[in-house]
Amino acid sequence: MPFRKTGGRRAGVSRLAALSGFWIASALQWAEVLAQELRIEHVTVVSPERPGALQNADVTVREGRITAISTESSGNNAPTRATGAQTLDGRRLYLTPGLIDSHVHLSFIPGMTDEQERAHPDIARTAREQIPRSYLYFGFTTLIDLISTPEGMKRWKSHDPVPDTYFCGGAALMDGYPMNYFPKPARYSAWPYMLIEQQAVEALPPGAKAAEHSPQAVIERMKADGAICVKTFFERGFGGVHDLPVPTPETIKSLVRAAHAAGLPVFLHANSDEAQIFGLDTGVDVIAHGLWNVNDTPAPDAPTPGMRSILDRVIAARVGWQPTIQVLYGLQDLFDAGFLSDPRLPRVLPRSLIDWYGTSEGQWFHDAVGGDVAGSAAAAHAADSHVEVARPDLSVPIARVKAATRYLAQHRARLLFGTDTPSAPTYANPPGLNAWLEMHRLIDAGVTPAQIFEAATLRNAQAVKLDHEIGTVEVGKRANLLLLRADPRQTIQAYDEVVKVIVGGRVLDRDELAADPRFFASEITRELTAL
Ligand SMILES: [Zn+2]
């Protein structure tokens, strides 16, 4: 997709002003800015709880919260402006809630292992500084990391600026998915909330106590650690692995009971028919993936009868459902030779990281997935002497998830917006940009822009019980807001037309958040030449 053209004298000058503001503003001034009043004037408010837009509104923010919303018709109620208030001219702009991605993973740099990170500290440092900005760049002011710990959150929040971030504790079954990907014995300390079932007690890792890993104990521990939700898993494996242990229904029912008693919603990793039925049977709140592993192939637009019986239960039980279609594209795109020269990447990834992805070391996950594909092809055609390492053909699972998503959108199911960025150690799920790509996949699948807007704001906030804080533009809520050039209920292009990102009342210019300042400098040069 080409860049938005922003030629013309006015755009060039304002862009320059924005950049110089960036250099002048310092973290020290930030506390002062927060105490100041912020007024967004003459703006069109678009918020999911409102049936229509509120035209020509003035929105006041003080100490990070929305304190007043007034229109000219109710001019008498408009609060008098405090001296020294920061004002933004909202004419021809839309003010919306900041977006929420209810499924991200923030511990790792996409496509980089821990060892590789240690071997390339400069690339890694620059990447870790940029990643929070890249989410903000595409309008995400709140993130839910579905598998983290207080230590992981502390590291993530040490960056500035950073979206508001919350976490779920990962209650994986001991040695099941995704713990199986971590080397022993380090996996046991990396997964403090793992579940241990009765039958595994004899094979306990050194130092582990089964009593600390019952559903009840795990929930108590993550709640005390500050988690706002629980992530658990039903996955027998993929890529040649099909025999991973999965939890019993009794274990997950106990987990759900304990979680609900503690006020925590439960997310289940489930992308197969068997797994989603398991989730519906055990009473989880959110199914954290689309339905793409089933035995039949759907017609282009319609799920199979087997899929439909699952989706009808999802609709009836009002279970949250995250399509995460981009997960499948993120695997396919590893095999697209042009992916790393996509002109959108320098907006969200430092050049040094993009270049590293192109090295043979940076291609490790591509080679691993290619090996899996070649391995299964070799097994299927043992007589062939040549097996090409080809791009995996995911057209059938993609058709399934799109058919399922379309069906749920038509039936007004509780779709949630979650990207699962990055869904694997793939560099083809770039932070921030991946969410914008997911929106395109959802549109493709028949979800409307208005449904995407609601899913990424109010529905996500409700799913993690943060709707008293965020998800709408209402008095009393935290001022996580976006100023956009287009109405996001009409077009998802609006999310690439972000003018300002406001986090807790702090106003960020979108251009400040881009990964490559040279990229914007060159755009400004072009604009200056055009003056
Ligand atoms: Zn995930």
Side-chain angles (χ1 to χ4, degrees):
M1 197 129 324
F3 289 122
R4 159 171 64 81
K5 293 258 184 343
T6 54
R9 180 181 293 260
R10 204 167 274 274
V13 172
S14 66
R15 187 68 65 77
L16 266 187
L19 260 195
S20 55
F22 171 50
W23 298 121
I24 294 161
S26 72
L28 283 173
Q29 290 169 316
W30 168 224
E32 250 168 78
V33 173
L34 237 192
Q36 233 182 34
E37 185 180 285
L38 167 68
R39 294 255 296 173
I40 306 155
E41 298 181 333
H42 309 296
V43 77
T44 301
V45 174
V46 172
S47 188
E49 85 292 2
R50 289 180 182 274
L54 182 68
Q55 309 283 345
N56 200 16
D58 292 347
V59 176
T60 309
V61 171
R62 208 172 283 155
E63 290 176 0
R65 289 193 182 268
I66 300 169
T67 53
I69 301 173
S70 61
T71 55
E72 284 204 326
S73 56
S74 63
N76 293 341
N77 303 331
T80 47
R81 190 184 303 176
T83 45
Q86 181 187 8
T87 57
L88 294 173
D89 183 356
R91 266 176 284 221
R92 293 182 301 282
L93 297 176
Y94 297 85
L95 186 72
T96 73
L99 302 180
I100 304 164
D101 188 334
S102 59
H103 189 159
V104 295
H105 300 289
L106 304 169
S107 316
F108 300 96
I109 298 167
M112 232 187 193
T113 64
D114 277 348
E115 276 163 28
Q116 289 169 333
E117 179 165 353
R118 280 193 293 274
H120 302 282
D122 294 342
I123 298 173
R125 195 178 317 112
T126 315
R128 283 194 181 271
E129 273 301 315
Q130 175 57 38
I131 289 170
R133 294 170 167 267
S134 301
Y135 282 104
L136 292 167
Y137 182 89
F138 275 99
F140 287 85
T141 53
T142 304
L143 302 175
I144 314 297
D145 187 328
L146 285 200
I147 309 173
S148 195
T149 57
E151 297 73 41
M153 284 292 98
K154 194 173 164 206
R155 182 177 192 186
W156 169 258
K157 289 178 181 175
S158 69
H159 301 293
D160 181 75
V162 67
D164 289 350
T165 308
Y166 301 84
F167 79 101
C168 296
L173 183 65
M174 186 177 82
D175 297 332
Y177 177 87
M179 282 184 72
N180 61 302
Y181 288 108
F182 293 72
K184 285 182 187 176
R187 67 168 67 154
Y188 302 113
S189 51
W191 288 83
Y193 316 116
M194 70 174 171
L195 294 166
I196 299 179
E197 290 182 337
Q198 209 50 47
Q199 50 271 45
V201 163
E202 280 167 27
L204 281 187
K209 297 190 185 80
E212 292 174 4
H213 296 278
S214 68
Q216 181 70 41
V218 158
I219 294 296
E220 278 169 20
R221 187 161 175 187
M222 64 173 87
K223 173 90 178 174
D225 283 352
I228 65 161
C229 44
V230 183
K231 171 83 176 287
T232 191
F233 308 85
F234 189 99
E235 178 62 71
R236 294 191 189 277
F238 40 76
V241 177
H242 300 286
D243 52 2
L244 294 174
V246 291
T248 64
E250 289 66 38
T251 298
I252 301 306
K253 282 180 186 166
S254 307
L255 187 76
V256 169
R257 245 192 328 271
H260 288 178
L264 307 180
V266 179
F267 289 59
L268 178 73
H269 163 100
N271 56 43
S272 67
D273 43 3
E274 183 193 16
Q276 297 210 353
I277 290 169
F278 179 87
L280 291 162
D281 288 347
T282 51
V284 302
D285 303 284
V286 178
I287 290 177
H289 281 302
L291 183 53
W292 56 68
N293 288 322
V294 295
N295 284 326
D296 343 322
T297 304
D301 282 343
T304 63
M307 287 167 70
R308 217 165 45 232
S309 70
I310 295 169
L311 300 173
D312 285 338
R313 289 183 65 190
V314 168
I315 296 162
R318 303 296 294 154
V319 170
W321 206 85
Q322 300 176 330
T324 67
I325 305 173
Q326 200 38 37
V327 167
L328 300 171
Y329 286 91
L331 289 174
Q332 270 193 178
D333 287 349
L334 278 173
F335 295 82
D336 174 353
F339 182 83
L340 291 176
S341 29
D342 185 321
R344 293 170 299 191
L345 282 190
R347 299 208 229 168
V348 294
L349 296 175
R351 171 54 55 192
S352 55
L353 184 63
I354 299 172
D355 289 346
W356 180 81
Y357 286 151
T359 64
S360 57
E361 197 188 357
Q363 290 289 311
W364 73 274
F365 187 63
H366 160 276
D367 297 345
V369 175
D372 276 349
V373 175
S376 42
H381 309 285
D384 290 1
S385 55
H386 269 298
V387 180
E388 293 276 310
V389 175
R391 163 184 156 128
D393 180 6
L394 300 177
S395 56
V396 171
I398 286 172
R400 289 186 193 122
V401 68
K402 286 193 173 170
T405 303
R406 175 176 290 109
Y407 186 81
L408 291 180
Q410 282 165 351
H411 290 82
R412 309 268 151 212
R414 199 156 76 88
L415 289 178
L416 302 179
F417 187 84
T419 57
D420 194 14
T421 304
S423 57
T426 172
Y427 56 70
N429 281 164
L433 176 58
N434 200 46
W436 202 50
L437 298 175
E438 175 74 9
M439 290 176 181
H440 287 79
R441 308 304 178 199
L442 293 171
I443 293 286
D444 246 21
V447 186
T448 67
Q451 285 176 316
I452 293 173
F453 177 62
E454 195 182 343
T457 55
L458 184 55
R459 279 189 201 279
N460 264 351
Q462 288 166 335
V464 289
K465 300 180 190 266
L466 288 175
D467 48 313
H468 60 288
E469 275 287 293
I470 51 170
T472 60
V473 182
E474 286 179 288
V475 171
K477 288 209 175 169
R478 184 161 162 82
N480 284 3
L481 303 164
L482 303 178
L483 267 177
L484 309 170
R485 286 197 189 85
D487 182 345
R489 291 168 312 172
Q490 306 300 324
T491 171
I492 57 167
Q493 187 62 31
Y495 305 113
D496 201 30
E497 297 282 340
V498 176
V499 180
K500 303 280 184 194
V501 180
I502 303 171
V503 190
R506 177 184 181 183
V507 181
L508 300 164
D509 196 273
R510 191 191 198 199
D511 292 354
E512 297 173 19
L513 300 165
D516 190 347
R518 283 174 306 169
F519 160 70
F520 281 100
S522 68
E523 212 181 29
I524 287 165
T525 311
R526 272 204 308 281
E527 284 170 1
L528 284 178
T529 318
L531 284 178

